[in-house]
């Protein structure tokens, strides 16, 4: 019977049943055979109410949706173009910086490729960059800001780990600080690669003019304070993360709807519903996995996996290699939020057993997921880019692979040099 | 007639969702202002905000079911034959499983109703929790209906 139930759960997943249903089925099977009344499932879902900082998720999602509906993308591209476009490889740097910033604020849902990538791709080709290179660059950049505050996956990782009652807890602020250098490392390596591969191609570089710079800054005057409010507020500890989310959302609403009027009031309810459908999907999965994780911990599954792994792997480094491979694979087949919600409660106790800091683990986890977004054959951003730029999927495989290799180098550094993440933290 | 009822239902869901989110935003802002300028803040507001997150989550999930927009692992389904049968089975299973959860959620809320505990201010806990049975019942019905109508598409 046991085996049939387990096979049933896997079949459900395979035929594309909603993920929360699959997890519910797994939790029900587990509790049923452990003779625990199924009411526990609702009790666990209701624990969403006790999860700290969760408020940040719907609010930041909402502000992200508004920002991606506004004309911020074009203003942002223009501003970075004026200030960074004159450098060698300037336009590539523009792409990396703009995408990182945009993704951090809007979440890596593929919207960066559609909103920013669609502006940058023609600009890159026009400036003389080869088409395949530009395509790969834009697709790779689509998930680049994942490690920067206030990206939703980073917040979700913090939220999940915080309710696990670790011995060595951390704050969301710690995570936000830890993500900065790894993100910079990725941008720097990608820039070096871009400048090096295009060294023999005559590129058109922009001239820096004061007039243009003034105009670009002036156009962005309402959105420029945003990073200061959010990042300044969070990093100095003036705002809790959920408060920063509320202030950001209010500010963005006032600016985009009230002052710039790029989003009509009539459209706002539609945007809210769209954003909350995404939030609902994620939080429901979070809620049911609270129940499932409770079962797993009750049955001491993480401990058993740990003991099992321990038989074959004794050192941290081998474990990290396997972790990276597993996560890269996972990042390609699961969307990032489900991967976080399902895997983090399992992996965190095991990783801590191997002496890995939970903050460092979070950065490793998300760096893998970021690459998973465009890992062939099924990384989500490959399909979005293929659809948006009307290129065949195999062309996208070929164009992104060099960038993927560069980011794998960054991933290795991030994984094996914990200081890159933890340098500024007192851990 | 059914079409009209459905439109009204959708409108109600959407309005509740929008109201919940806007309320959440306004209360969060109010708390920040009170804390920074008046050294105060309402005790009930924190609890209310947390309950609102749950409501937004469940209402959002309900609409996600309506729009067939739940997160799935679709890596495999693309290559599966017999699309109609696959959809029928997955929707049917989802409907039944949500139905079971709804059943136990009603029981859970029932216990709370008997205990008459208060979540915050004068709002009883069972009322805050009621979105769980309501949400899961709604999702269950939607999955079941889709599994049947999907056959005739």
């Amino acid at each position: 019977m046991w085996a049939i139930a387990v096979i049933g759960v896997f079949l459900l997943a395979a035929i594309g049943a909603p993920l929360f249903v699959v997890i519910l089925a797994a939790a029900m099977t587990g509790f049923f055979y452990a003779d625990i009344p199924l009411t526990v499932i609702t009790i666990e879902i209701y624990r969403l109410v006790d999860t700290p900082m969760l408020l940040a998720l719907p609010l930041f999602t909402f502000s992200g949706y508004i920002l991606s509906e506004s004309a911020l993308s074009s203003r942002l591209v223009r501003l970075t173009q004026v200030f960074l476009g004159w450098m060698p490889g300037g336009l590539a740097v523009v792409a990396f910086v703009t995408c990182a910033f945009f993704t951090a604020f809007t979440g890596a849902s593929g919207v960066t490729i559609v909103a920013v990538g669609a502006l940058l791709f023609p600009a890159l080709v026009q400036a003389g960059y080869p088409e395949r290179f530009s395509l790969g660059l834009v697709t790779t950049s689509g998930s680049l800001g994942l490690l920067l505050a206030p990206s939703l996956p980073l917040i979700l990782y913090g939220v999940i780990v915080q309710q696990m009652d670790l011995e060595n807890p951390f704050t969301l602020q710690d995570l936000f600080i830890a993500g900065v250098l790894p993100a910079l490392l990725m941008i720097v390596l990608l820039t070096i690669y871009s400048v090096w591969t295009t060294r023999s191609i005559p590129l058109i570089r922009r001239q820096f003019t004061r007039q243009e710079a003034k105009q670009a800054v002036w156009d962005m005057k309402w959105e420029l304070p945003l990073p200061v409010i959010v990042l300044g507020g969070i990093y100095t500890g003036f705002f809790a993360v959920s408060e920063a989310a509320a202030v950001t959302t209010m500010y963005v609403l006032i600016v985009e709807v009230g002052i710039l009027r790029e989003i009509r009031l009539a459209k706002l309810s539609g945007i809210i519903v769209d954003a909350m459908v995404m939030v609902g999907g994620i939080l429901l999965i979070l809620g049911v996995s609270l129940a499932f994780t409770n079962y797993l911990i009750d049955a001491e599954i993480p401990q058993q996996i740990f003991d099992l792994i321990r038989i074959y792997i004794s050192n941290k480094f081998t474990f990290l290699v396997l972790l990276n491979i597993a996560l890269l694979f996972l990042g390609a087949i699961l969307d990032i939020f489900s991967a976080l919600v399902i895997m983090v409660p399992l992996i965190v106790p095991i990783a801590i057993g191997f002496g890995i800091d939970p903050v460092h683990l979070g950065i490793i986890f998300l760096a893998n997921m970021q690459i998973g977004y465009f890992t062939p054959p099924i990384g989500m951003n490959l399909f979005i880019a293929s659809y948006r730029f009307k290129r065949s999927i195999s062309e996208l495989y070929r164009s992104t692979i060099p960038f993927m290799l560069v980011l794998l180098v960054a991933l290795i550094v991030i994984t094996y040099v914990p200081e890159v993440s933890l340098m500024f933290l007192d851990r | 007639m059914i079409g009209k009822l459905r439109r009204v239902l959708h409108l109600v869901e959407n309005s509740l969702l929008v109201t919940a989110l806007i309320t959440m935003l306004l209360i969060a802002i109010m708390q920040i202002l009170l804390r920074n300028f008046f050294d105060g803040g309402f005790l009930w507001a924190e609890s209310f905000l947390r309950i609102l997150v749950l409501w937004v989550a469940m209402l959002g999930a309900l609409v996600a079911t309506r729009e067939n927009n739940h997160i799935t692992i679709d890596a495999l389904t693309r290559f599966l034959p017999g699309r109609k049968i696959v959809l029928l089975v997955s929707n049917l299973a989802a409907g039944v499983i949500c139905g079971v959860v709804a059943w136990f959620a009603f029981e859970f809320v029932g216990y709370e109703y008997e205990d008459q505990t208060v979540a915050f201010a004068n709002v009883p806990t069972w009322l805050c929790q009621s979105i769980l049975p309501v949400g899961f019942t709604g999702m269950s019905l939607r999955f079941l209906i889709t599994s049947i109508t999907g056959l005739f598409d």
Side-chain angles (χ1 to χ4, degrees), chain A residues 50-74:
Chain A
D50 297 324
T51 310
M53 291 297 160
L54 213 51
L55 180 63
L57 211 68
L59 291 178
F60 269 133
T61 309
F62 180 33
S63 62
Y65 267 69
I66 303 177
L67 285 178
S68 37
E69 290 277 324
S70 74
L72 168 68
S73 51
S74 61

Side-chain angles (χ1 to χ4, degrees), chain A residues 233-367:
Chain A
I234 292 175
Y235 285 126
T236 58
F238 184 77
F239 288 135
V241 174
S242 54
E243 291 180 325
V247 173
T248 307
T249 311
M250 202 60 182
Y251 183 85
V252 165
L253 259 183
I254 293 173
V255 168
E256 307 296 346
V257 182
I259 300 173
L260 298 175
R261 291 169 192 265
E262 278 168 4
I263 292 163
R264 282 181 297 114
L265 203 57
K267 261 185 80 184
L268 201 58
S269 70
I271 296 178
I272 294 181
V273 171
D274 283 349
M276 291 311 114
V277 163
M278 181 181 144
V279 170
I282 296 168
L283 288 186
L284 188 59
I285 291 180
L286 178 62
V288 298
S289 351
L290 288 177
F292 185 53
T293 314
N294 177 308
Y295 163 73
L296 289 180
I297 290 170
D298 216 50
E300 296 185 332
I301 306 274
Q303 187 59 44
Q304 286 176 20
I305 299 177
F306 179 63
D307 292 342
L308 187 73
I309 297 177
R310 251 300 150 67
I311 299 174
Y312 301 101
I313 303 164
S314 51
N315 72 42
K316 189 172 156 180
F317 286 93
T318 330
F319 171 74
L320 282 172
V321 173
L322 284 179
L323 182 71
N324 275 333
I325 295 170
L327 287 178
L328 278 176
F329 176 71
L330 204 71
I333 60 164
L334 271 182
D335 91 299
I336 189 165
F337 297 107
S338 335
L340 276 168
V341 170
I342 298 169
M343 296 312 290
V344 165
L346 274 176
I347 291 179
V348 167
I350 297 171
I352 290 178
F354 276 101
I356 298 161
D357 190 287
V359 173
H360 183 211
L361 179 71
I363 303 300
I364 297 175
F365 196 108
L366 292 181

Side-chain angles (χ1 to χ4, degrees), chain A residues 82 169-170 179 227 280 292 309 339 371 374 409 422 424:
Chain A
V82 170
F170 58 87
F292 185 53
I309 297 177
I371 298 173
F374 50 88
V409 173
L422 305 177
F424 299 114

